[in-house]
Amino acid sequence: MINLTNLHKSYTKIKVLKGIDLFFDHEGIIAILGPNGSGKTTLIKSILGMVIPDRGDIQLNGDSVLHKWDYRNNISYMPQIASFPQNLKVEELIKMIKNLRRQETKEAELIQLFQLKPFLDKKLGILSGGTRQKVNIVLTFMFDSPFVILDEPTTGLDPVALISLKQILREEKKNGKTILITTHIMNLVEEIADQVVFLLDGNIYFNGTVNELKEQTQHDNLEHAIAEILKESYV
Ligand code: ADP
């Protein structure tokens, strides 16, 4: 269970989050949407303790996480841009991250799924963006955490890898996980999201299912539904 109450965050002059209330109490895939700069990453980083909110509370399974760190063992996080050490080999990085958590891991099946075996002895610095993203996915899903947070996970993925990512997301949902995901790929949202949270201007503009969003905007196409909200907000 993730519970955000009255979350505020400003950076110098910009108010990014203006009193966000959110409650996720079941397994499923929640898409956090919003235009660039609407605070999606700030929201995610607040849950992870990488950004300290000015006001409000964040609870995981009933306990406040503010100024704590050990709760992060329950979260798998995939950052938007993974800055890997360039000289490290893929297999060395996987081993290093495994040693940090000392939990049981399932990297072997993920390496197979994303066909990463030929790259295990390659240095991260020479990999293509898409291959680096696949490594990023392996590092995220190899641990069995109840909460998974993914910031733009599809960047650079080829269609085969995208299908594999969707497969993992569905499996992880079946395993009872709560998965938060930010993306600009509306097809992905339409296909896999159980809930959509749309951030606009520091507030939650919409919180519901894809179908409810379509009904509210009277658009059958999700991309057009989102565009409708944005157009309304410009008026
Ligand atoms: P999104 O993920 O929706 O694109 P962000 O949360 O990254 O939005 O950013 C929201 C706003 O906060 C943007 O205007 C961004 O420039 C600003 N911002 C984000 N991080 C910082 C920071 N560390 N210092 C100052 N401004 C920041």
Side-chain angles (χ1 to χ4, degrees):
M1 184 259 277
I2 303 178
N3 196 3
L4 312 181
T5 334
N6 195 27
L7 212 62
H8 287 256
K9 178 67 189 177
S10 299
Y11 296 111
T12 49
K13 283 178 195 154
I14 329 166
K15 281 187 183 170
V16 181
L17 305 177
K18 301 177 187 169
I20 300 285
D21 291 310
L22 279 173
F23 185 54
F24 309 118
D25 69 339
H26 50 81
E27 82 277 358
I29 301 174
I30 302 126
I32 312 281
L33 307 181
N36 294 330
S38 57
K40 302 181 292 294
T41 301
T42 301
L43 183 78
I44 281 176
K45 286 191 172 171
S46 300
I47 297 172
L48 293 161
M50 294 161 74
V51 163
I52 307 298
D54 303 327
R55 241 195 305 157
D57 195 18
I58 301 168
Q59 293 186 348
L60 227 72
N61 293 338
D63 292 322
S64 177
V65 305
L66 296 182
H67 309 294
K68 298 192 183 130
W69 56 270
D70 53 346
Y71 74 94
R72 292 183 202 161
N73 284 327
N74 292 316
I75 305 177
S76 290
Y77 168 54
M78 180 169 164
Q80 193 170 357
I81 299 163
S83 346
F84 296 134
Q86 304 285 302
N87 277 323
L88 219 55
K89 290 178 184 166
V90 173
E91 59 196 355
E92 290 169 339
L93 177 68
I94 292 173
K95 200 168 164 199
M96 196 177 90
I97 303 291
K98 269 173 72 159
N99 286 341
L100 283 178
R101 278 209 181 176
R102 297 182 182 281
Q103 295 169 356
E104 225 173 89
T105 52
K106 53 173 179 188
E107 73 279 9
E109 62 185 88
L110 291 164
I111 287 167
Q112 173 132 17
L113 183 65
F114 286 97
Q115 296 165 4
L116 281 174
K117 228 175 190 161
F119 299 98
L120 288 178
D121 62 350
K122 302 274 183 300
K123 288 187 175 175
L124 288 147
I126 63 148
L127 299 184
S128 72
T131 307
R132 258 202 298 262
Q133 190 70 339
K134 290 179 196 171
V135 174
N136 205 1
I137 292 173
V138 172
L139 297 177
T140 307
F141 286 98
M142 69 182 185
F143 296 106
D144 187 18
S145 316
F147 302 102
V148 181
I149 298 182
L150 311 166
D151 201 351
E152 293 283 354
T154 60
T155 311
L157 292 184
D158 60 40
V160 178
L162 190 56
I163 288 171
S164 301
L165 175 65
K166 286 191 273 198
Q167 183 187 326
I168 300 176
L169 288 169
R170 288 195 186 99
E171 276 167 19
E172 293 293 65
K173 176 180 144 180
K174 252 195 240 154
N175 292 336
K177 309 207 169 173
T178 303
I179 303 165
L180 302 188
I181 175 167
T182 75
T183 181
H184 290 292
I185 313 294
M186 289 306 125
N187 283 344
L188 180 73
V189 176
E190 203 148 19
E191 244 181 273
I192 59 155
D194 302 294
Q195 185 178 348
V196 170
V197 172
F198 194 94
L199 293 183
L200 198 62
D201 248 350
N203 294 301
I204 294 168
Y205 187 90
F206 175 86
N207 184 2
T209 64
V210 170
N211 281 339
E212 285 164 353
L213 181 60
K214 286 177 177 175
E215 272 169 33
Q216 185 174 313
T217 53
Q218 302 205 328
H219 274 287
D220 208 27
N221 173 301
L222 184 62
E223 221 151 46
H224 289 166
I226 297 287
E228 188 65 33
I229 295 178
L230 290 178
K231 266 193 271 168
E232 276 173 25
S233 74
Y234 294 153
V235 180

